[in-house]
Amino acid sequence: MNPVPTESLTTPPDPVRPTGEELDRQRAAIAALGHELRALVDATVRTATPPEVLHRMTDEVRRLTGQLTGRRRARAEIPAVDEFPGGVRMYSPVSGPGSPLAPPMRVTPDGDGVVGHCTLGIAHEGPPGYVHGGMSAMLLDELMGWACYAAGTPAMTVSLRMRYRRPVPLETPLRVHAHVTEAEGRKIFVAGSISAAADPSVTLVTADGVFVTPDPDRARALFPNAP
């Protein structure tokens, strides 16, 4: 039997959390890299370049990946540049400016709820020319969680019921909206919708969600690294 590597038995030291100008610089650098990675992903899913170019690019990407050295964040560890819960999430696959997967969606308060703005590209394609239905669900799930926090009740998704009324077009600015409709103890009911930013009166997708605020003991068990 192969021995277990010593490093797997140790807990990584706590990350040094930047503050002030240092935090701003770190977030700006993360966002800049995320922007370029999203451009690379977009070029990758669009290109019809010959195989020899793809192989050369594969070697180059592998070389660049090798330069991302240093401490690696462990599973369930909150990034040092994040504010959890309810704040900046630099690597969120929906709103994180540092994520190559994210649109990224910009979230702001809006009356009785929150609104998100984003544009989904070819990397998020389902039917040709339109957004993958799972992406619509991911946008709404995240924003509905933001709506819970904005209402003063951070919560986790229990169920999400989607209604796809019309196809969501790619490369089109979108408006995503969510608000809490009712609360029963720790259970919170949330409604959400997606429309084109240019014509918000025409709803493309709607969702109804049930969220639950975990009790303190459960929250500590789920998120042991939370402040």
Side-chain angles (χ1 to χ4, degrees):
M1 182 172 63
N2 293 329
V4 177
T6 303
E7 59 269 23
S8 69
L9 301 176
T10 60
T11 301
D14 291 336
V16 177
R17 298 196 173 274
T19 58
E21 291 184 2
E22 182 185 4
L23 177 60
D24 292 339
R25 288 196 301 271
Q26 185 74 11
R27 285 177 174 169
I30 290 169
L33 178 58
H35 175 79
E36 296 304 327
L37 289 175
R38 288 189 291 275
L40 176 61
V41 169
D42 183 75
T44 299
V45 298
R46 289 177 181 270
T47 187
T49 195
E52 56 269 21
V53 176
L54 294 176
H55 286 304
R56 187 166 66 248
M57 285 300 301
T58 299
D59 292 339
E60 183 66 13
V61 170
R62 185 180 299 114
R63 183 187 68 80
L64 291 172
T65 301
Q67 295 186 38
L68 292 174
T69 59
R71 183 185 182 279
R72 298 270 178 148
R73 178 162 58 95
R75 186 181 73 85
E77 179 184 328
I78 299 169
V81 292
D82 277 10
E83 299 169 0
F84 179 84
V88 175
R89 300 295 305 279
M90 291 299 295
Y91 301 107
S92 161
V94 174
S95 59
S99 170
L101 307 176
M105 183 166 65
R106 301 174 304 282
V107 181
T108 56
D110 182 71
D112 63 345
V114 289
V115 65
H117 289 94
C118 65
T119 300
L120 296 173
I122 300 298
H124 305 116
E125 187 175 53
Y130 296 98
V131 172
H132 192 291
M135 285 303 305
S136 295
M138 188 162 72
L139 294 181
L140 284 164
D141 182 46
E142 170 119 346
L143 196 67
M144 292 161 83
W146 276 88
C148 291
Y149 186 84
T153 51
M156 301 176 66
T157 315
V158 172
S159 68
L160 192 65
R161 183 177 61 174
M162 304 290 299
R163 294 186 180 90
Y164 297 91
R165 300 177 182 274
R166 302 187 183 193
V168 178
L170 293 169
E171 300 183 322
T172 301
L174 301 175
R175 181 183 187 274
V176 190
H177 186 268
H179 66 281
V180 171
T181 59
E182 186 182 355
E184 295 178 359
R186 293 191 295 111
K187 188 179 292 186
I188 304 153
F189 300 88
V190 190
S193 65
I194 299 175
S195 59
D199 192 4
S201 64
V202 178
T203 302
L204 306 175
V205 181
T206 61
D208 296 305
V210 180
F211 289 66
V212 168
T213 301
D215 62 54
D217 289 340
R218 180 62 171 160
R220 281 190 292 270
L222 288 170
F223 310 111
N225 298 314

